[in-house]
Amino acid sequence: MVRVFRTKLLPPRTEGALARPRLLEQPHPSLLVLQAPAGSGKSIFLAQWLEAQGLPYLYYQLDDQDREGEVFAAHLLEGLRRLWPDWSTPDGAEVNPADLAVEVVNEAVARPPFVLALDGLQAAFGQPYLADLLAVWLRYAPPGLTLALASRSPLPVELPESAQYRLGAVALAFTPEEAQAWLGDGDWHECLQSTGGLPLALQLWRQSPATWRQALSQRAVAELPPHVPPEAGRALVAEWLSGQMTLAQLAYQLSEGQPGAERLWHEAQAARSDLLMGDVAAALIRLSPLWDRARGSGDRPLMGAVALLRGEYHYVKGEYGQAMEWYRQAFEADPVLEYGGTHSMVAILKDQGQLEEGLARAERCIQTCRTRGDLQALAYAHQQCGAVLAESDRLDEAESHYLEAERIGLKLSGEPFYGILALAHRGMLQRKRQNMTLYRQLAEEAHALARHRSPWLEHICGFILAGAMVHWKEPEAAQRLAASASAFLAAVDAKWQLHLVHITLAGARWAMGAQDEARRHVDQALAHAAREGYVQALVNYWEAYGHLVIDALSRDVEPSFCQEICIRVGQRALAPLLELTAHAEPRARRGALYPLAVIGGPEAERAIRHLLYDQEELVRDGALVALRSLTGKEEGAVGTPTAVAPVAVARLRLFLLGPIAVEVAGERVSAWRTTKARDLIAYLALAGGRPVTRDQLIEALWPETEPEAGQALLHTTLYYLRRALKGAGEGLITYAGGAYRLELAGVEVDYQHLLALLESGGEANWRQAVALYQGELLQGLDYPWAEAPRTRAHGACMEALRSLAGAAQSAGRHGEAVECWQRLVQADPLAEEGHLGLMRCYAALGNRNAALQQFQTLQQRLDEELGLEPSPEARKLYTQLIL
């Protein structure tokens, strides 16, 4: 619970302060903006202005505590309760400023006119809630709601020019007549002339005439805006006090951020140029300190631009997980950037095989860039859209986008970088069409244009051309180009391009008969690809490089990733996988099982069944798991136990009975970036492998969220979840046809295992079921969708206990039966059959008193909870025990 300091809701005292009729007598505005440095008298004037309006008002002074949105919401809500004592507090508004902003707008429609005054807004700059809240009020405030906003720095939102009353430092300064009225006769004229009439300066002169200049310098430096570096601030104040600049100039320098934010913008542009030129090291030197300084500036577009550049830096290095995290921060700081076409998120989605999502984002970027007239961004958006369409085998549409990117980039934008890139990709498109002559021609043209323009672009086009050389049986030339690209890309550690270069080199060396050297390149390529999820390139060029993936799988190199590639390739991978089941190495035979089970079909099933009798136990176990996944039923084999066994070597284990726990490759996930990621894997697991639409997931986890915001939350949560489960290999959570699905092959879910055990029957399975039930399903989570499976899991455990107790009791093992009946009664105190079972077991063990006491317990609980008596059967047993 946030503590509310009511003094933050009290405006400054104005007794003895100078009133400025020239400012106070202006017509009543709908928006008052006071933007001036510290010491300009903003707070005093705001208090005087509120009194002069003659309207009810809410004043709120922000400070460092308001960097927490919950603190801001709690204090603002307290002020609103004073203003509207009869107002009922909206649910959730205490902790969510965005919700509170909407509630204020809606309530203000039905209330008499009033003023909402926020003083010291710069204290919360850089916090996402502030810009969102101000945007709501500025756009939707009804006529009766007047806003008064005071800040040392420019506000983080665009202000409407109409109906606005803006006052800066010069307007708030004292005139000689006003100073005379306030200070009377005295030697204050030098102070007034030197400072331009700054109220703080005259107040300091009034207190200590001899030291006012030193005191003013100290105060001014101590209260500099966050975006102004201290050394720059001290120099500016010294220039001002020495008469080298006017108060208006100082106010502009400090309020508009010229010595801070403007310089940061220049550094950001320089970092972007470094990235385009491939000087990644120089970009990092600029970007490393830039983010913290941008956050301190309060300039949200600058924060977004710097975060976007950090994302681009990690994209260039192929570090897709980090890139996506920086993109998320960029879009939170400045939502305009998300579809501005100046980022490579579409390329990341493509490389990770998320083609539908990548295409939707690319099309949105094209529309936004066309509307804004940003030609360079538009060229890049068309190039990325073409790349996604090419991966989706929509070749004509892809070529159309590539040609448009070339037209804009090479002829219109003045910067040919993205046009050349599109030309090179159009060359690769011809490879899909088997037009290898045009492929080579376009690749050579792009490489020629890129030379001496950008090392980065030159080497990208170089290894694209190397691929054409491989086809034209020129492995030496291909190797020279790829080796040159490899050396450059290794220097900048560009992992995605390096994995392609290594694959290209591997193909060339394999064709030359140097298989050992080819394998070294393959292993390096897969090490990069598996870490960041680069699946699409190997899927797309399976015919050229699929044999390298199969060979790596046979050698147990990144097996989970190689299996994922095979699964995505589908039927095209079936023949080599079938060959792998006859490999001399057991690890190769076992590696083929999982993708065969997912691809399916009669040939896959026959191969899996054959391996049920393999001489190696691990292969047999893997075949049994694969066959269960393929057929959806239990299959017997030589030596197969009668009890239902869990997955022998599960890559992912989900413990949903009791508090949620997740194990990835045998290691417990100890920390979640967000609990929604944990809840999401639980929801997908309970779906039992069935596809779940995006809308279903949003409704399940964020039922109160608007659809567009829900999609953003889902995308972020899926990213965190995939990152947490990365050690389990690729392909766990798939997306197809607008729906997500958890692939259950190699996944163990205790809830599903519990149901399977009960369905199979037998004492061994019942004991396993009882041992599995460590508590109610999804303990501690209150989701409506959890109720039905929770009831089913509880019922399954109760059924297992009944069956196990009955079997033990029939066999005369009364002590064992007592343990089962006791656990059943603990779980369901009103279950009469449990009490009856205990009574009979106690009697069989010769403990008549315990049996009678059990009846009294049953009688008491039924009376207290339901107002009922025990059944005739229970009373009859009780009578028999008494007699």
Side-chain angles (χ1 to χ4, degrees), residues 337-372:
L337 293 174
E338 184 164 4
Y339 298 105
T342 54
H343 57 79
S344 303
M345 181 181 281
V346 173
I348 292 177
L349 294 171
K350 171 186 69 70
D351 295 342
Q352 293 183 334
Q354 302 179 57
L355 300 183
E356 291 187 22
E357 188 171 352
L359 180 59
R361 185 172 290 275
E363 290 173 341
R364 178 76 179 272
C365 287
I366 288 172
Q367 182 60 42
T368 301
C369 295
R370 185 179 291 124
T371 301
R372 295 172 57 191

Side-chain angles (χ1 to χ4, degrees), residues 315-646:
Y315 164 72
V316 168
K317 291 177 67 65
E319 297 164 350
Y320 284 0
Q322 295 182 66
M324 294 292 275
E325 176 64 16
W326 280 105
Y327 289 149
R328 182 188 64 79
Q329 294 194 54
F331 302 156
E332 286 183 356
D334 186 1
V336 171
L337 293 174
E338 184 164 4
Y339 298 105
T342 54
H343 57 79
S344 303
M345 181 181 281
V346 173
I348 292 177
L349 294 171
K350 171 186 69 70
D351 295 342
Q352 293 183 334
Q354 302 179 57
L355 300 183
E356 291 187 22
E357 188 171 352
L359 180 59
R361 185 172 290 275
E363 290 173 341
R364 178 76 179 272
C365 287
I366 288 172
Q367 182 60 42
T368 301
C369 295
R370 185 179 291 124
T371 301
R372 295 172 57 191
D374 189 337
L375 294 179
Q376 287 190 38
L378 182 59
Y380 192 29
H382 274 293
Q383 184 272 320
Q384 292 194 90
C385 190
V388 176
L389 288 166
E391 297 292 338
S392 305
D393 290 327
R394 295 162 62 176
L395 304 187
D396 290 342
E397 295 172 76
E399 185 166 31
S400 175
H401 281 283
Y402 284 147
L403 288 169
E404 184 65 8
E406 291 174 47
R407 185 181 73 85
I408 297 170
L410 296 174
K411 298 180 180 179
L412 302 179
S413 72
E415 171 50 66
F417 187 101
Y418 298 120
I420 297 171
L421 191 62
L423 178 64
H425 278 81
R426 187 160 64 90
M428 289 199 299
L429 186 70
Q430 306 312 313
R431 180 176 184 169
K432 282 179 170 282
R433 289 175 164 164
Q434 300 301 309
N435 188 344
M436 305 308 289
T437 301
L438 185 56
Y439 169 28
R440 178 167 180 168
Q441 175 186 330
L442 294 175
E444 288 178 337
E445 183 180 345
H447 187 241
L449 288 172
R451 292 186 65 185
H452 310 302
R453 182 176 298 280
S454 160
W456 174 257
L457 187 60
E458 179 179 348
H459 286 100
I460 289 176
C461 295
F463 76 72
I464 290 175
L465 179 57
M469 296 296 189
V470 170
H471 173 80
W472 284 91
K473 310 294 186 196
E474 300 178 29
E476 292 83 2
Q479 184 176 357
R480 284 195 301 271
L481 282 169
S484 175
S486 179
F488 171 79
L489 295 169
V492 301
D493 195 25
K495 301 175 185 64
W496 184 79
Q497 282 81 10
L498 278 172
H499 109 275
L500 291 181
V501 169
H502 282 300
I503 284 291
T504 304
L505 288 170
R509 300 309 291 165
W510 192 280
M512 296 170 66
Q515 293 188 350
D516 289 342
E517 188 176 346
R519 283 174 175 141
R520 285 196 293 272
H521 286 298
V522 168
D523 293 354
Q524 292 182 66
L526 292 177
H528 291 308
R531 189 160 47 245
E532 299 293 342
Y534 312 147
V535 299
Q536 192 59 34
L538 289 169
V539 171
N540 196 35
Y541 297 113
W542 175 261
E543 282 70 22
Y545 303 121
H547 63 286
L548 301 176
V549 176
I550 293 294
D551 180 73
L553 181 57
S554 73
R555 295 182 291 111
D556 206 31
V557 175
E558 301 292 349
S560 296
F561 181 76
C562 292
Q563 289 171 337
E564 173 67 14
I565 298 297
C566 293
I567 290 168
R568 288 175 179 263
V569 170
Q571 289 294 320
R572 289 180 294 157
L574 184 58
L577 286 171
L578 291 173
E579 292 179 11
L580 209 57
T581 61
H583 200 280
E585 286 291 333
R587 62 188 180 185
R589 300 195 297 274
R590 193 167 189 271
L593 288 167
Y594 172 51
L596 282 174
V598 177
I599 295 170
E603 292 179 281
E605 183 173 347
R606 281 195 297 270
I608 293 170
R609 286 184 182 278
H610 177 74
L611 292 180
L612 289 171
Y613 302 92
D614 194 272
Q615 61 184 353
E616 294 290 335
E617 182 180 359
L618 284 177
V619 177
R620 293 197 302 271
D621 289 345
L624 180 60
V625 171
L627 194 58
R628 288 175 183 162
S629 173
L630 180 62
T631 63
K633 61 183 180 181
E634 302 300 322
E635 297 289 341
V638 177
T640 302
T642 56
V644 177

Side-chain angles (χ1 to χ4, degrees), residues 658-691:
I660 298 178
V662 178
E663 281 187 5
V664 175
E667 296 292 331
R668 182 68 59 94
V669 178
S670 57
W672 294 90
R673 178 66 182 268
T674 168
T675 57
K676 289 294 185 183
R678 178 204 63 190
D679 300 349
L680 175 57
I681 191 63
Y683 184 88
L684 292 171
L686 291 180
R690 296 186 305 277

